Amino acid sequence: MGAGAGASIVLASVGVKAAPRLAGVDIDALLARMTLDEKLGQLAQARGEKNDTGPFVPAGSEADVRAGRIGSFLSVYGAETTRRLQRIAVDETRLGIPLLFADDVIHGFRTIFPVPIAEAASFDPAAAEAAARIAAVEATANGLHWTYAPMVDMTRDPRWGRVVEGAGEDVELACRFAEARVRGFQGRRLSDFDAMLATAKHFVAYGDAEGGRDYDVADASARRLAEYYYPPFQAAIAAGVASIMVAFNEVNGVPMHANRDLLHDLLRRDWHFGGLIVSDYTGIRELIAHGVAATDEEAGILALKAGIDIDMVSSIYVDALPAAVRDGKVDVALVDAAVRRILSIKAALGLFDDPYRNCDPARAKRETLRPAHRVAARDLARKSLVLLQNEGDVLPLSKMLRSVAVVGPLADDRRSMLGPWAPTGVPGDAVTPLEGIGAALGAGAHVVHASGGEAALAAAREADAVILCIGENWDESGEARSRVALDLAPDQQALAAAILALGKPVATVIFAGRPLTINALAQHAPAILWAWYPGVEAGHALADILFGDVSPSGRLPMSFPRAVGQIPIHYDQRNTGRPASESERNTAKYVDAPWTPLYPFGHGLGYSPVAYEALELSATRLDRTDPLEVRFSVRNAGIRAVEEVVQLYLRDDVATTTRPVKALKRFARVPLEPGEIKQVRFVLGASDFALLDRNLRPVVEPGGFTLLVGGSSKTELEAKVTLEGAEERAV
Ligand code: GLC
């Protein structure tokens, strides 16, 4: 396959029109000049280190660059640092191939936005796209070319700490956020100076981890893979994602880092993904621990044959594969194909024309943490906060309050506001709840802070109102933070009980990277606001909601279990032959707890009730290929402006396979002034009615369907439609 063809496959998948000479570079001519060691050096990704002053490269890295043993770096950034390394690559190596610099810019570079699951709670993909765009503007101004985001792993298990990085339990929501974030990071064209390669990760089924234990076995049926774990990756690929990162786990007995069926046959051959496939951190060497390789060389051969282009940090490709290729154990054509892809991506980014395009200190200073970026972070943080309950309308609190106690371990915890995955963030940039509340109330108010114990109780006793900030700190969620129990810490539960017993207005704000089990608290705390980790503007966004400048509008992207024993619990379950019933004994339920979640998917309150009215369909019978229009009204029945998240669900009443009791198909944020009525209109097409038949082929079957609408998955109105005509293969 010639450069043009090779390059065109790579570039087509990332939305760049290929040309025989790619952005001024003849990829094949360059490849033909490379030695085997130089080729394998391009596939090696080394890591940076970090100390209090920022990132730095470990000793020996410059020599490795000079020797052509490194093609890209992880966790090395900064205009000056990257310029220094880039100059060595360009001026002091035989072929002058520029380096790529990558990092985990997951939800912001320096302007840290709410964690991804919080962004998903906004049900506002456009806002997430704008956040990713700002992250790319800042990250590329600071030397980076490539981010390892969006994480698009589906999961229904909050025991798994990486729930914080995803978009929750629902495929439709996850797909919309996956494509939005890819567009945000990559921008219009990769050749734009502020474009950043996005990475859909971790392929695949990482969230299926047995027992909720990070890195553990994923044992998923072909149907579960196709219906649940694949779609967000397919959405990211359709959006032109430039790279995919391989998951640490095995899938059904085959570790992903050695899984040619899924990495080559499915991703490359069937889905035509032409971008880079990057291992996860030392994921190739972990094939030895998985027990499918005895040596580094065996692991490297398996990974290259599976289709992995870039070896993140294990140095196996560059150290062990030269001999393997020379001994005929692995075909150099596989090396060439991988090198061609990374050279093409470097060319698409324009690095052969201007290797220093992201190494300008003046641009870094201009673009980083701009006020406008903070404004966007505050707006998205406000949209991500979820009001779980508000008994007696405790919230919003009055700004006329003159004495407020802001207590609890998270009340002034600057670091936790950034969440577990903000390696390029600076905790000092974050506004804490205490600071935000103090700023909102002004100098005339007496705001007292205590993080816990007797001091917190004493402060609460003296105050007119209490804002209690509890939950998980930043290091209790995220990678390698699996939990067997999801309760609040005992001291936090005790503090909450003591403060609630005072009988004062108490707003309980919970920070966490996942759903927690808060049954006892929910019985006694009148107002509970779920804050996740809101980012640099945490305190101001919180105050905006607590004091009613803005109504809360976030919705839960995951069901909240009452008990860990309910997990996996999700709204789109199948009905079973004995659906749970209060009255019937032998049905799908528990004897020691309700079968329902404490709070369902899509749940969230605003400061006004919203009525759903006048649901109507453009037809009650229609041919499968015709669009169906769904119309309904929403009315603000309160005295405060709100932004409602309207949700449309679909149930296939009878099908050739079992179907979810309902599945989210559309959602939208609808601003409503007090008393205002708006009509909402959604249009569904054939693909919305499709299912995977018994052979996992997408089909649209005739028959009855139910449309359900509401402000959460506990929908309020429904209507029926019948699709007519013979079964048809869906597109
Ligand atoms: C980590 C994570 C991955 C991340 C990579 C580089 O272990 O699994 O999501 O992008 O290493 O930091």
Side-chain angles (χ1 to χ4, degrees), residues 451-477:
S451 60
E454 265 315 303
L457 202 47
R461 282 199 193 94
E462 298 307 310
D464 298 337
V466 184
I467 297 165
L468 171 63
C469 299
I470 52 178
E472 289 184 316
N473 70 41
W474 68 275
D475 198 27
E476 293 178 286
S477 262

Side-chain angles (χ1 to χ4, degrees), residues 303-378:
L304 186 68
K305 284 182 174 177
I308 295 180
D309 296 322
I310 307 289
D311 169 7
M312 185 190 291
V313 175
S314 71
S315 297
I316 284 178
Y317 276 16
V318 70
D319 290 340
L321 286 193
V325 171
R326 292 186 184 107
D327 296 347
K329 293 177 185 172
V330 64
D331 186 345
V332 70
L334 294 177
V335 175
D336 289 350
V339 176
R340 188 177 285 120
R341 280 188 282 267
I342 192 161
L343 294 179
S344 299
I345 281 278
K346 291 183 176 181
L349 285 169
L351 292 181
F352 286 98
D353 298 328
D354 177 8
Y356 306 104
R357 75 174 201 175
N358 292 0
C359 308
D360 174 0
R363 177 179 153 206
K365 186 169 172 36
R366 186 174 64 245
E367 297 297 346
T368 305
L369 208 59
R370 285 167 50 181
H373 295 175
R374 277 192 174 270
V375 169
R378 180 169 179 168

Side-chain angles (χ1 to χ4, degrees), residues 562-581:
R562 299 172 192 271
V564 166
Q566 287 181 306
I567 294 169
I569 184 169
H570 49 97
Y571 82 93
D572 55 345
Q573 81 273 9
R574 267 47 173 183
N575 214 26
T576 78
R578 295 193 175 190
S581 150

Side-chain angles (χ1 to χ4, degrees), residues 144-178:
L144 290 173
H145 306 109
W146 186 5
T147 180
Y148 292 139
M151 185 269 223
V152 300
D153 300 310
M154 296 303 299
T155 190
R156 293 161 166 161
D157 191 337
R159 294 173 298 178
W160 186 51
R162 300 197 77 164
V163 156
V164 66
E165 295 175 62
E169 73 185 47
D170 179 73
V171 168
E172 171 64 19
L173 191 68
C175 287
R176 301 294 73 81
F177 273 86

Side-chain angles (χ1 to χ4, degrees), residues 30-44 67-70 94-95 97 297 304 316-339:
L30 176 55
L31 191 61
R33 295 172 55 204
M34 296 172 76
T35 66
L36 178 60
D37 287 335
E38 286 166 337
K39 290 176 183 176
L40 290 164
Q42 280 301 308
L43 309 186
R69 286 174 45 82
I70 295 174
R94 193 173 73 86
L95 294 170
I97 298 172
E297 181 184 76
L304 186 68
I316 284 178
Y317 276 16
V318 70
D319 290 340
L321 286 193
V325 171
R326 292 186 184 107
D327 296 347
K329 293 177 185 172
V330 64
D331 186 345
V332 70
L334 294 177
V335 175
D336 289 350
V339 176

Side-chain angles (χ1 to χ4, degrees), residues 74 104 148 162 201-202 245 248 280-281 312 421 479:
L74 160 67
D104 293 290
Y148 292 139
R162 300 197 77 164
K201 69 182 186 182
H202 309 76
M245 183 184 294
F248 285 121
D280 203 337
Y281 196 99
M312 185 190 291
W421 251 133
E479 184 173 352

